Amino acid sequence: MNNNILQYESKIWATADLLRGCGIKESEWPSFMMPFFALTMIESRLVRMFDSLKDEIGEQAFANIAKDDLYDMIKDQGQGYNIFIFEKSQSLTDICKNDKSFEIDFDAYLKGFDGETKDLLGVDATDGEKFLDIKGVINKLKAKKILLGYTKLWAEIDLKPFNNSEITTLEEHIKRKWADISAETAGEQYTPDDVIALIAEIIASKLEESDTLLKIYDCTCGGGNLLFGVEDRINQKFKRLTQTFGQDWNDALYALAKIESRFRPDSKVEHGNTLVSDKFDNDEFDVVIANPPYGVSWKGYDKDIINDKTGRFKFIPSISDGQLLFMQHLISKLDSVGMGVVVHNGSTLFGGDAGSSESNIRKWMLDSDVVEAVIQLPTDEFFNTGIYTYLWVLNKNKQPHHKDKVMLINASDKFKPLKKSKGSKRKEVDAASRLEIVATLTAYQDTDYAKVFDKEFFYFNKQAIMLTNVDEHGNSFAEKLKEGKTSEKLTPLSLTNGEREITEFVITNVNSDNYRKIGERHAYLKVSEQNAEYASPLMSINAGSASPNSLAEYFERDIKPFIIGLDYKEQPLVVTTSQGRYYFDVSQETLIKESAGKKEALGCGKIVVKSALKKSSKTQPERIEISVDLTPDYQKDYEIIPFHKDQADNRAAIEAFMAKYISKPFEYLENVVGVELNFNKIFYKPEKLREVGDILGEIAALDQQLKALEAGLTL
C-alpha cells in the first residue's frame, strides 16, 4: 500500500474550514462532504479505467475506435461513464480553472454521468430518494457563495494513482470522522479497521483454497467498509474468487457502498430495509458479517416484522432493539456449511428473562448449534461508544469436537493503547493480539482468558412455584377451609378501618342516607365516627365541584379508591360479623377470630375487601356491593436453578434445590428454560485483599511523615 494516500485525510478535512467559516453547523458537515468525496472517488476510478483501456488497446488504435463502440466498451466495464471525461478529456480540476464558466461547466459535468451515477449522487433529485443529494448541497453552497472555492479544494485531491483498496482505506478514515460528528448515524456506519482485520482473520482461519466462489454478505453494510474490508483481506490471503453482497437503508451510505461496488468484480449492493424487504431473499451465503445498529427501535415497521412470511424470525424481540432480528436474519442466510461474525453489544448476551423472546432466540441459536464462540472486545474500541462489544462467531460446519459446545473468549485485555484518542476510541486490537485471539479460537481449548463449555452450561431453569405463607407456628388459613373451598365469605355487620366504620355494604342510591352533603360539598359514605357527631369523609371533593349525579360516578370517584386503599397489614382493619370479630395480627403473621372474649389463631391469610358496581336486573336495582373474604396467603415466586440436559436429572436437581432452600408449603407451576451468556460471571476475578499488617504499616509510615512535616512548620 502507498502510505501517501493518508495525506489526503487532512486535506479533505481542510474543506471543513470553508463550511465553518460560513456558519454551517458541524453536525451538517457529513452531508456536504459525502457527495464531493464520492464525486472525487468516482472521477479517479473512471479516469483510471479509461487510461487502462487506452493501454490495453494502444494509443493509436484507441484513437480510431468509433464513438459508439467506445461507449459500448466503457459500459461493459460496469463502472459508469462521464461525457466530459471521455469525450472532452476534462476533469473537475479543468472545470475549476475558469471561474466565469464554472457553474455552467460544473452542471454539464454532473449531467454527463450515466443515469445510475446521477441517481446515486442526486444530480437530478427532486422528490423521493436523493441519496447523496449533491444538487441540494450545491444549492446551499451557492447561497453561501462558496461553491467554486469548495469544489476547487476537492479537485486538488488526486486519487488516480491509488488502487481500490488504497482509496477504500482513505474512505474508512473519512467515514470514521463522519461517525464522530454525525449524531444521527452514530454507531451505525463505521467499524474500526482493527476490528475489521480481526473479523477477517477469524473468517480466513476457517477457509481453504478452492475453485468455488466465496459469497460474502452484510445485511447492514452502511458505506461498505466492513464488507469490502473483509473481502480485501481475504483476497490478500487466498486466490479464491470472492463476491460481495450488501444492503443498507441509509440513503447516503448506500450510495457510497453502491459506488464502491461498481469498481469491484461482480459486487451487488442494494438499497432498502433488510428486516422489511430482503433484496437477496433467494440467496444463501458462505460468509455473513454485520455490525447492526445497537438499541435502535423498529417500531416504525413493526407490522411488517410481526407479519413477516419468510420464516426467518423465530421469535420477535423487544421493539426497542432490533439486534436479534438481524441475527436471526443472518442465520437464515447461511448456506449449509456457512459461517459468520456479527458485532453486537451486551444486550444480546443476557437481555430478557427466561421465556422472553430474547432468551428464546439465544436458546434457538444454541439448540441449532450454530454458535461456535463469543469474543468480548475491549472497551473504548469503537469511535462512538466506550461500551463492551462482542463478536458472535457463527458456524454451521463445526469440527466434530466443537459440536454442541460454545467458547467464550475474554479478549478485553488484548489491545494496544492508541497514542492519540479518536473520538471514544482509545484502544485497538493490534496485530499480535488479533493473531493470539484467532489462535485461541482455532485451538478451542481452555486458557486463562478463554473457556469451552457444553452449550447447556448457559441454560437455566426458571421454576415457578406457588408458596403458601404461614404464621409463626407454621399454620396457614388454607387448613381452616373446607375441602374444595378457596376462601371463606364473611357477612359483615361493620368494617372498621382506624376511626372509620362502614356499616352499609349494599348501596342503591346516592341520594339516600348513605350519601350526605355537609358544609362545603363533601362526599360521605354512611359511616359512624367514634368521637364525632357526623360521618367521616370518605373522599373530599374540591370546593365548588358537583356532587355525584349517579351511582356509577359515586362508585368510581369515592367508593372504589377508598376500598383499594385499604391494607389489612398496614392499617388496623377489623371485620365484625354475627360470629365474631376478624383481624390480622401482624406480630404473629396470622388471622385472628375473636368471639365471646376468646381469640383463635386461624393461620396466615388475607382479608380481601372488594367493591363492585352491579347492573340492574329484573329482581334487583343498580347497586354498589362491598364484600369481605378471608383467603389463604398465596405468593407466586420463582427460583433460578442450574440446568441439566437429561430430563430426569434436571427434574431431580430442581426437587433437590427445593428441598434444600424452600421451607414453606408450595406447589410447582411452570418451568421455563432460559439462556444467557454472562462474561462477568465466568471471568470475574475478585480483587485480592491486602494484608491488615501491610495497611497498618503504611498508615504508621504516613503518620511519621505528617509528624515530620509538623515539626518543620514549627521551626
Side-chain angles (χ1 to χ4, degrees):
M1 169 184 162
N2 186 338
N3 289 325
N4 288 334
I5 186 74
L6 294 181
Q7 68 181 296
Y8 290 120
E9 183 187 7
S10 58
K11 197 171 188 68
I12 287 172
W13 280 92
T15 64
D17 291 336
L18 265 181
L19 301 177
R20 182 189 289 111
C22 61
I24 294 172
K25 294 179 181 179
E26 189 172 332
S27 60
E28 298 178 30
W29 291 355
S31 64
F32 284 84
M33 300 177 76
M34 282 183 181
F36 276 85
F37 178 80
L39 188 63
T40 306
M41 181 173 66
I42 292 168
E43 181 183 271
S44 70
R45 298 191 183 191
L46 290 182
V47 170
R48 192 166 65 239
M49 180 262 288
F50 197 48
D51 291 342
S52 178
L53 284 175
K54 288 180 184 179
D55 294 340
E56 184 181 328
I57 298 170
E59 192 77 33
Q60 188 173 354
F62 189 84
N64 295 326
I65 295 177
K67 182 178 177 180
D68 290 343
D69 292 337
L70 176 61
Y71 272 100
D72 287 340
M73 291 175 61
I74 291 170
K75 289 177 181 177
D76 287 343
Q77 299 292 314
Q79 298 181 5
Y81 64 85
N82 184 288
I83 294 172
F84 255 70
I85 294 173
F86 297 148
E87 289 188 13
K88 299 185 179 182
S89 296
Q90 288 190 339
S91 65
L92 199 58
T93 303
D94 299 316
I95 291 170
C96 291
K97 288 177 181 177
N98 190 340
D99 56 351
K100 292 182 180 179
S101 63
F102 165 72
E103 290 192 11
I104 296 172
D105 291 342
F106 189 35
D107 185 63
Y109 167 83
L110 292 173
K111 290 181 176 177
F113 282 109
D114 60 283
E116 184 181 61
T117 301
K118 286 192 290 186
D119 287 343
L120 294 171
L121 289 172
V123 172
D124 298 322
T126 51
D127 298 325
E129 293 166 344
K130 298 181 180 181
F131 298 117
L132 288 166
D133 194 22
I134 198 168
K135 180 180 179 181
V137 169
I138 287 171
N139 288 335
K140 292 176 183 177
L141 293 171
K142 280 182 181 179
K144 297 287 187 180
K145 301 187 185 302
I146 60 168
L147 176 60
L148 175 57
Y150 190 72
T151 308
K152 276 183 177 179
L153 289 174
W154 284 97
E156 292 172 3
I157 298 169
D158 183 11
L159 301 179
K160 291 187 289 294
F162 305 103
N163 61 34
N164 283 7
S165 181
E166 291 165 345
I167 293 176
T168 300
T169 300
L170 176 61
E171 184 181 351
E172 290 169 0
H173 279 262
I174 304 308
K175 285 180 191 170
R176 191 267 298 172
K177 279 282 194 176
W178 288 336
D180 284 349
I181 67 172
S182 182
E184 60 268 18
T185 56
E188 297 181 30
Q189 65 188 23
Y190 185 74
T191 307
D193 188 66
D194 56 311
V195 176
I196 295 173
L198 175 58
I199 291 171
E201 290 283 357
I202 293 170
I203 294 168
S205 71
K206 301 180 181 301
L207 297 180
E208 297 177 349
E209 289 288 5
S210 171
D211 56 1
T212 59
L213 179 68
L214 186 73
K215 298 168 65 177
I216 308 170
Y217 171 64
D218 185 344
C219 65
T220 55
C221 69
N225 62 304
L226 173 59
L227 178 62
F228 300 132
V230 167
E231 180 184 39
D232 287 342
R233 287 169 173 82
I234 289 175
N235 287 335
Q236 291 170 10
K237 290 178 175 288
F238 298 92
K239 295 178 181 178
R240 189 171 176 178
L241 293 176
T242 58
Q243 184 179 9
T244 47
F245 300 78
Q247 183 171 341
D248 203 84
W249 198 11
N250 181 293
D251 290 355
L253 295 176
Y254 154 73
L256 286 173
K258 182 66 175 179
I259 290 167
E260 170 67 25
S261 73
R262 298 191 310 179
F263 299 95
R264 291 177 175 266
D266 203 18
S267 179
K268 298 180 180 179
V269 173
E270 299 290 345
H271 182 250
N273 184 343
T274 300
L275 298 178
V276 171
S277 177
D278 177 14
K279 302 297 184 180
F280 304 104
D281 57 339
N282 294 318
D283 292 289
E284 291 182 338
F285 303 97
D286 304 288
V287 175
V288 300
I289 51 177
N291 180 13
Y294 311 149
V296 175
S297 171
W298 46 275
K299 185 176 182 179
Y301 41 97
D302 53 331
K303 290 182 180 178
D304 298 288
I305 299 294
I306 293 168
N307 297 321
D308 183 83
K309 304 299 182 184
T310 65
R312 53 188 167 154
F313 303 129
K314 308 302 179 185
F315 300 94
I316 306 299
S318 168
I319 203 167
S320 62
D321 191 350
Q323 286 182 91
L324 286 173
L325 288 173
F326 286 111
M327 180 73 97
Q328 293 178 89
H329 167 76
L330 286 165
I331 292 172
S332 76
K333 304 304 288 184
L334 285 170
D335 64 21
S336 60
V337 292
M339 62 89 57
V341 182
V342 189
V343 188
H344 285 302
N345 69 7
S347 69
T348 56
L349 294 170
F350 44 76
D353 200 357
S356 68
S357 291
E358 289 80 4
S359 178
N360 287 338
I361 291 168
R362 290 190 291 272
K363 186 173 185 300
W364 167 73
M365 291 168 64
L366 267 60
D367 284 348
S368 304
D369 199 24
V370 72
V371 180
E372 186 166 38
V374 182
I375 303 169
Q376 180 175 269
L377 297 179
T379 57
D380 305 317
E381 174 57 52
F382 281 72
F383 298 105
N384 308 83
T385 178
I387 63 173
Y388 280 117
T389 49
Y390 300 82
L391 302 183
W392 287 73
V393 181
L394 311 175
N395 195 348
K396 293 183 76 174
N397 188 31
K398 289 184 176 182
Q399 295 182 44
H401 65 290
H402 292 193
K403 290 186 180 299
D404 294 318
K405 295 184 182 296
V406 177
M407 185 180 207
L408 298 191
I409 301 177
N410 178 17
S412 58
D413 294 328
K414 305 301 178 182
F415 67 88
K416 182 176 71 176
L418 292 177
K419 293 180 180 179
K420 183 180 179 181
S421 298
K422 299 176 180 178
S424 295
K425 184 175 176 62
R426 298 177 177 85
K427 305 170 184 175
E428 67 174 359
V429 185
D430 58 304
S433 296
R434 294 197 295 269
L435 292 175
E436 183 183 353
I437 293 167
V438 174
T440 301
L441 175 61
T442 303
Y444 219 69
Q445 294 178 349
D446 289 355
T447 72
D448 59 337
Y449 68 95
K451 305 291 180 185
V452 178
F453 300 94
D454 291 335
K455 65 185 183 183
E456 288 84 9
F457 174 84
F458 303 104
Y459 295 34
F460 63 90
N461 296 291
K462 184 180 179 181
Q463 176 65 62
I465 55 175
M466 185 64 77
L467 290 168
T468 302
N469 287 323
V470 295
D471 63 18
E472 62 178 12
H473 301 294
N475 298 321
S476 166
F477 182 68
E479 300 162 7
K480 297 290 185 180
L481 292 173
K482 294 180 180 178
E483 186 175 352
K485 294 287 186 180
T486 59
S487 65
E488 179 181 334
K489 185 176 288 295
L490 300 182
T491 304
L493 301 175
S494 68
L495 188 154
T496 304
N497 173 38
E499 294 185 346
R500 293 178 183 155
E501 183 181 37
I502 301 174
T503 59
E504 189 168 346
F505 295 88
V506 178
I507 304 168
T508 57
N509 192 328
V510 295
N511 294 319
S512 67
D513 287 343
N514 60 63
Y515 184 81
R516 306 174 187 175
K517 289 197 325 183
I518 300 176
E520 289 287 332
R521 294 181 181 263
H522 291 291
Y524 283 62
L525 184 65
K526 185 177 181 182
V527 300
S528 61
E529 189 170 317
Q530 294 178 6
N531 300 312
E533 179 182 355
Y534 294 107
S536 171
L538 183 65
M539 176 179 283
S540 295
I541 303 173
N542 292 333
S545 63
S547 302
N549 294 316
S550 66
L551 208 60
E553 182 181 348
Y554 182 40
F555 173 73
E556 291 294 334
R557 194 178 69 181
D558 298 334
I559 301 296
K560 187 176 178 181
F562 176 72
I563 298 299
I564 290 174
L566 295 175
D567 189 328
Y568 68 95
K569 288 187 176 180
E570 297 297 326
Q571 303 165 346
L573 187 62
V574 179
V575 182
T576 302
T577 71
S578 59
Q579 304 298 316
R581 299 171 69 244
Y582 296 84
Y583 57 91
F584 186 82
D585 187 328
V586 177
S587 63
Q588 300 181 64
E589 289 286 311
T590 189
L591 290 172
I592 298 293
K593 178 182 179 182
E594 190 177 294
S595 179
K598 295 182 178 180
K599 294 182 180 180
E600 178 186 2
L602 303 178
C604 186
K606 296 180 179 180
I607 302 174
V608 181
V609 183
K610 296 180 181 179
S611 62
L613 177 66
K614 301 288 187 178
K615 294 182 179 179
S616 61
S617 64
K618 291 182 179 179
T619 58
Q620 290 185 305
E622 181 185 32
R623 64 203 180 280
I624 296 172
E625 291 184 358
I626 300 173
S627 62
V628 182
D629 293 274
L630 302 182
T631 70
D633 188 356
Y634 295 121
Q635 177 186 348
K636 188 173 182 179
D637 199 2
Y638 66 86
E639 301 295 335
I640 302 300
I641 306 168
F643 177 83
H644 297 262
K645 59 183 176 181
D646 181 82
Q647 188 173 354
D649 290 345
N650 195 50
R651 174 45 55 184
I654 292 173
E655 291 175 355
F657 181 95
M658 294 298 177
K660 184 175 182 180
Y661 294 106
I662 306 300
S663 58
K664 296 179 181 179
F666 71 91
E667 292 182 5
Y668 284 107
L669 300 177
E670 72 277 10
N671 179 46
V672 179
V673 177
V675 171
E676 69 172 21
L677 294 84
N678 195 321
F679 274 75
N680 290 336
K681 289 181 180 179
I682 294 167
F683 294 105
Y684 173 72
K685 294 180 180 178
E687 185 178 351
K688 187 177 180 180
L689 298 177
R690 298 168 60 197
E691 294 292 335
V692 174
D694 294 341
I695 297 172
L696 292 174
E698 287 186 17
I699 293 172
L702 289 170
D703 189 49
Q704 291 298 321
Q705 291 176 24
L706 286 172
K707 288 179 178 178
L709 288 171
E710 288 175 357
L713 290 172
T714 303
L715 292 173

